[in-house]
Amino acid sequence: YHLEEAAIKGHPKARNDLGCIEEGNGRMDRAIKHWVIAANLGLDASLEALKNCYRAGFVGKEDLAAALRRHQAAVDATKSPQRKAATEFGMFEGV
Protein backbone atom coordinates (compact mmCIF):
# COMPACT_ATOMS: atom_id res chain seq x y z
CA TYR A 1 0.00 0.00 0.00
CA HIS A 2 2.68 2.52 1.01
CA LEU A 3 4.84 1.67 -1.98
CA GLU A 4 1.93 2.33 -4.32
CA GLU A 5 1.17 5.63 -2.59
CA ALA A 6 4.79 6.75 -2.93
CA ALA A 7 4.83 5.76 -6.61
CA ILE A 8 1.64 7.70 -7.28
CA LYS A 9 3.19 10.77 -5.65
CA GLY A 10 6.20 10.54 -7.98
CA HIS A 11 8.84 8.65 -6.01
CA PRO A 12 11.00 6.96 -8.69
CA LYS A 13 12.51 4.26 -6.43
CA ALA A 14 9.04 3.20 -5.32
CA ARG A 15 7.97 3.01 -8.96
CA ASN A 16 11.04 0.90 -9.76
CA ASP A 17 10.30 -1.42 -6.85
CA LEU A 18 6.74 -1.90 -8.08
CA GLY A 19 8.21 -2.89 -11.44
CA CYS A 20 10.39 -5.49 -9.72
CA ILE A 21 7.37 -6.87 -7.85
CA GLU A 22 5.36 -7.10 -11.07
CA GLU A 23 8.27 -8.85 -12.77
CA GLY A 24 8.40 -11.36 -9.93
CA ASN A 25 4.68 -11.97 -10.40
CA GLY A 26 5.21 -12.62 -14.11
CA ARG A 27 3.45 -9.46 -15.32
CA MET A 28 6.16 -8.06 -17.56
CA ASP A 29 3.86 -5.62 -19.32
CA ARG A 30 3.06 -3.89 -16.02
CA ALA A 31 6.69 -4.09 -14.86
CA ILE A 32 7.86 -2.36 -18.02
CA LYS A 33 5.31 0.44 -17.56
CA HIS A 34 6.59 1.08 -14.04
CA TRP A 35 10.21 1.07 -15.19
CA VAL A 36 9.48 3.46 -18.06
CA ILE A 37 7.88 5.93 -15.64
CA ALA A 38 10.79 5.65 -13.19
CA ALA A 39 13.36 6.01 -15.99
CA ASN A 40 11.50 9.11 -17.18
CA LEU A 41 12.05 10.50 -13.67
CA GLY A 42 15.80 9.88 -14.02
CA LEU A 43 16.29 6.63 -12.09
CA ASP A 44 19.29 4.72 -13.46
CA ALA A 45 18.17 1.34 -12.08
CA SER A 46 14.95 1.48 -14.08
CA LEU A 47 16.85 2.32 -17.23
CA GLU A 48 19.05 -0.72 -16.65
CA ALA A 49 15.94 -2.87 -16.15
CA LEU A 50 14.59 -1.62 -19.48
CA LYS A 51 17.90 -2.44 -21.18
CA ASN A 52 17.67 -5.97 -19.80
CA CYS A 53 14.09 -6.21 -21.10
CA TYR A 54 15.30 -5.07 -24.50
CA ARG A 55 17.96 -7.78 -24.53
CA ALA A 56 15.32 -10.34 -23.57
CA GLY A 57 12.96 -9.14 -26.30
CA PHE A 58 10.28 -7.58 -24.08
CA VAL A 59 10.97 -3.99 -25.16
CA GLY A 60 11.37 -2.70 -28.71
CA LYS A 61 14.29 -0.64 -29.95
CA GLU A 62 12.17 2.48 -30.44
CA ASP A 63 10.69 2.23 -26.93
CA LEU A 64 14.13 1.85 -25.38
CA ALA A 65 15.48 4.80 -27.38
CA ALA A 66 12.56 6.98 -26.23
CA ALA A 67 13.15 5.95 -22.60
CA LEU A 68 16.87 6.76 -22.96
CA ARG A 69 16.05 10.25 -24.31
CA ARG A 70 13.53 11.00 -21.55
CA HIS A 71 15.91 9.67 -18.88
CA GLN A 72 18.70 11.91 -20.14
CA ALA A 73 16.34 14.89 -20.22
CA ALA A 74 15.37 14.23 -16.59
CA VAL A 75 19.00 13.94 -15.53
CA ASP A 76 19.90 17.12 -17.41
CA ALA A 77 17.02 18.96 -15.74
CA THR A 78 18.55 18.30 -12.32
CA LYS A 79 21.91 19.83 -13.24
CA SER A 80 22.63 23.33 -12.00
CA PRO A 81 25.67 25.40 -11.04
CA GLN A 82 24.50 25.34 -7.41
CA ARG A 83 24.25 21.55 -7.35
CA LYS A 84 27.69 21.23 -8.95
CA ALA A 85 29.21 23.59 -6.37
CA ALA A 86 27.55 21.68 -3.53
CA THR A 87 28.86 18.38 -4.87
CA GLU A 88 32.36 19.78 -5.15
CA PHE A 89 32.07 21.12 -1.61
CA GLY A 90 31.12 17.64 -0.43
CA MET A 91 27.51 18.20 0.58
CA PHE A 92 26.21 15.12 -1.24
CA GLU A 93 28.80 12.60 -0.08
CA GLY A 94 27.18 9.42 1.15
CA VAL A 95 23.72 10.47 0.01
Side-chain angles (χ1 to χ4, degrees):
Y1 167 77
H2 296 288
L3 198 59
E4 292 171 356
E5 287 294 315
I8 290 168
K9 292 182 193 259
H11 193 281
K13 178 76 168 79
R15 185 65 73 170
N16 181 72
D17 291 350
L18 285 174
C20 293
I21 291 169
E22 293 294 357
E23 178 188 30
N25 291 334
R27 295 188 290 251
M28 288 304 293
D29 56 330
R30 293 183 66 162
I32 290 167
K33 288 178 185 178
H34 286 298
W35 289 327
V36 165
I37 293 168
N40 291 347
L41 295 172
L43 190 68
D44 294 336
S46 293
L47 188 60
E48 290 303 315
L50 289 171
K51 288 178 184 178
N52 290 336
C53 288
Y54 171 73
R55 288 184 202 107
F58 291 111
V59 174
K61 188 174 186 176
E62 298 81 21
D63 294 330
L64 179 62
L68 282 165
R69 284 191 301 273
R70 291 190 298 261
H71 175 269
Q72 189 59 51
V75 170
D76 289 345
T78 64
K79 294 182 181 177
S80 70
Q82 294 88 356
R83 185 178 291 265
K84 183 179 179 192
T87 301
E88 290 170 357
F89 184 69
M91 290 183 69
F92 294 116
E93 290 181 14
V95 176

